[in-house]
């Protein structure tokens, strides 16, 4: 993924859009501390269905213009529930993409997380960097996400750039970014283009690390790495503001900042 500095394109138009990542709701495997990965396509548990409902109610008045979802059952159930509560989603098609599926844990799938940690220790490696036999490396998952990100940027650019593109000089400076107030529409209240992506916990860990370490994503003030790089809770939310530019016939990522990371208040406060 190419990230071009703003200074190189002062005279070009840009498109800014919101990107909200959501981890799926709880499954029985999550509850039991078992790894699911790709081989186990478990449905949401009763608690997971309630979490999805809570996320749907929380996001009910947040406008989305596209929805991308892992094609695994737990993610699709979560996305369907969120979309059911959201009037802006009534005319949208849920795009299921295998590039968004969970990281493969190989022979460790179906086993307890502690067993994977024991495998790593026995191999003289650290967790979570360890890859069990038959599993995906962090790098392979990152490459999968980069392929998805490229597809998404081209789709959103093609659909919205001509009507939503702005001259660089008209964009607010970084210090004028919308404040985070603990509301569901933080960061996207005045942004008309907004993508919802429903995926998985280990996958999101790779995505966030890629954004921060390689794309130099700006984090909210006071963020600490332990939280930023932790596992998002079930139906946890991460929101980013993405800027793209058009170069020839391509849409190029030129900036990204984080509005909030691993937000889960909607689950804690559900009735």
């Amino acid at each position: 993924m190419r990230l071009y500095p703003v200074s190189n394109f002062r005279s070009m138009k840009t498109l800014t859009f919101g990107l909200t990542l959501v981890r799926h709701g709880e499954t029985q495997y999550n509850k039991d501390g078992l790894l699911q990965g790709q081989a186990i396509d478990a449905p949401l548990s009763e608690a997971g269905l309630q979490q999805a409902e809570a996320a749907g109610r929380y996001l009910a008045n947040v406008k989305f213009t596209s929805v991308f979802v892992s094609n695994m059952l737990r993610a699709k159930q979560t996305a369907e529930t969120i979309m059911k509560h959201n009037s802006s989603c009534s005319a949208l098609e849920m795009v299921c993409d295998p590039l968004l599926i969970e990281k493969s844990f190989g022979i460790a799938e179906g086993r307890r997380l502690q067993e994977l940690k024991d495998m790593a220790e026995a191999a003289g490696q650290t967790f979570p960097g360890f890859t069990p036999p038959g599993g995906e490396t962090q790098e392979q998952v990152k490459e999968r996400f980069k392929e998805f990100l490229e597809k998404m940027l081209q789709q959103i650019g093609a659909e919205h750039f001509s009507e939503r593109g702005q001259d660089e000089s008209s964009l607010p400076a970084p210090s004028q970014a919308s404040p985070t107030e603990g509301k569901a529409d933080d960061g996207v209240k005045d942004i008309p283009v907004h993508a919802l992506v429903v995926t998985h916990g280990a996958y999101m860990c790779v995505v966030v690390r890629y954004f921060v370490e390689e794309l130099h994503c700006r984090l909210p003030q006071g963020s600490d790495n332990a939280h930023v790089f932790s596992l998002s809770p079930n139906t946890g939310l991460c929101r980013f503001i993405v800027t793209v530019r058009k170069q020839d016939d391509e849409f190029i990522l030129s900036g990204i900042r984080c509005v909030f990371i691993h937000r889960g208040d909607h689950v804690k406060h559900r009735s």
Side-chain angles (χ1 to χ4, degrees):
M1 172 61 62
R2 291 167 293 171
L3 181 65
Y4 289 84
V6 171
S7 58
N8 289 354
F9 296 94
R10 285 295 176 191
S11 62
M12 298 187 72
K13 285 192 173 183
T14 65
L15 172 70
T16 297
F17 68 92
L19 172 62
T20 297
L21 304 179
V22 183
R23 186 187 177 196
H24 63 78
E26 182 199 79
T27 67
Q28 189 63 44
Y29 279 79
N30 290 143
K31 184 177 181 180
D32 294 340
L34 302 174
L35 294 164
Q36 294 168 100
Q38 298 176 6
I40 298 168
D41 200 11
L44 298 182
S45 63
E46 186 58 41
L49 291 170
Q50 292 176 14
Q51 290 168 346
E53 287 285 339
R57 290 193 296 271
Y58 181 73
L59 295 169
N61 296 315
V62 176
K63 183 180 178 181
F64 295 103
T65 51
S66 53
V67 180
F68 302 95
V69 185
S70 157
N71 60 356
M72 303 197 78
L73 180 58
R74 54 195 184 270
K76 289 193 290 186
Q77 286 183 302
T78 302
E80 286 166 354
T81 303
I82 291 172
M83 293 177 74
K84 176 186 70 176
H85 286 277
N86 192 300
S87 60
S88 73
C89 291
S90 60
L92 298 181
E93 177 185 357
M94 183 174 73
V95 179
C96 294
D97 195 326
L99 291 170
L100 291 170
I101 64 174
E102 179 61 297
K103 177 181 179 180
S104 170
F105 293 100
I107 64 169
E109 293 185 357
R111 301 187 187 184
R112 294 193 176 278
L113 177 61
Q114 186 57 49
E115 290 186 55
L116 179 58
K117 293 179 179 179
D118 292 343
M119 286 184 198
E121 185 177 354
Q125 298 183 35
T126 58
F127 178 84
F130 171 69
T131 302
E136 281 184 295
T137 65
Q138 301 284 90
E139 188 67 23
Q140 286 173 320
V141 178
K142 183 181 74 176
E143 289 303 315
R144 240 193 322 121
F145 171 70
K146 287 169 67 176
E147 185 178 346
F148 165 75
L149 181 60
E150 184 67 24
K151 283 172 57 178
M152 181 180 69
L153 294 183
Q154 301 314 310
Q155 178 178 325
I156 290 176
E159 291 177 351
H160 300 284
F161 196 89
S162 61
E163 62 179 14
R164 302 291 185 185
Q166 293 180 285
D167 289 328
E168 177 65 46
S169 59
S170 69
L171 295 176
S175 60
Q176 295 174 292
S178 302
T180 302
E181 301 173 335
K183 296 181 179 179
D185 63 355
D186 279 342
V188 294
K189 186 175 181 181
D190 299 316
I191 296 179
V193 182
H194 187 190
L196 172 67
V197 175
V198 183
T199 182
H200 303 265
Y203 188 94
M204 283 175 63
C205 285
V206 173
V207 171
V208 170
R209 190 169 288 275
Y210 171 61
F211 280 172
V212 173
E213 294 185 344
E214 297 190 38
L215 299 188
H216 309 293
C217 173
R218 289 189 290 119
L219 292 168
Q221 190 172 4
S223 299
D224 70 55
N225 285 350
H227 175 67
V228 169
F229 297 137
S230 66
L231 183 69
S232 199
N234 287 113
T235 67
L237 311 171
C238 298
R239 179 167 295 153
F240 302 88
I241 304 300
V242 180
T243 303
V244 295
R245 285 173 176 74
K246 190 173 185 180
Q247 183 179 15
D248 300 323
D249 293 325
E250 284 188 291
F251 298 96
I252 308 297
L253 179 68
S254 63
I256 183 167
R257 68 174 178 88
C258 179
V259 181
F260 55 74
I261 200 93
H262 307 319
R263 183 178 285 183
D265 291 348
H266 54 284
V267 176
K268 297 175 187 175
H269 299 156
R270 75 177 190 268
S271 56

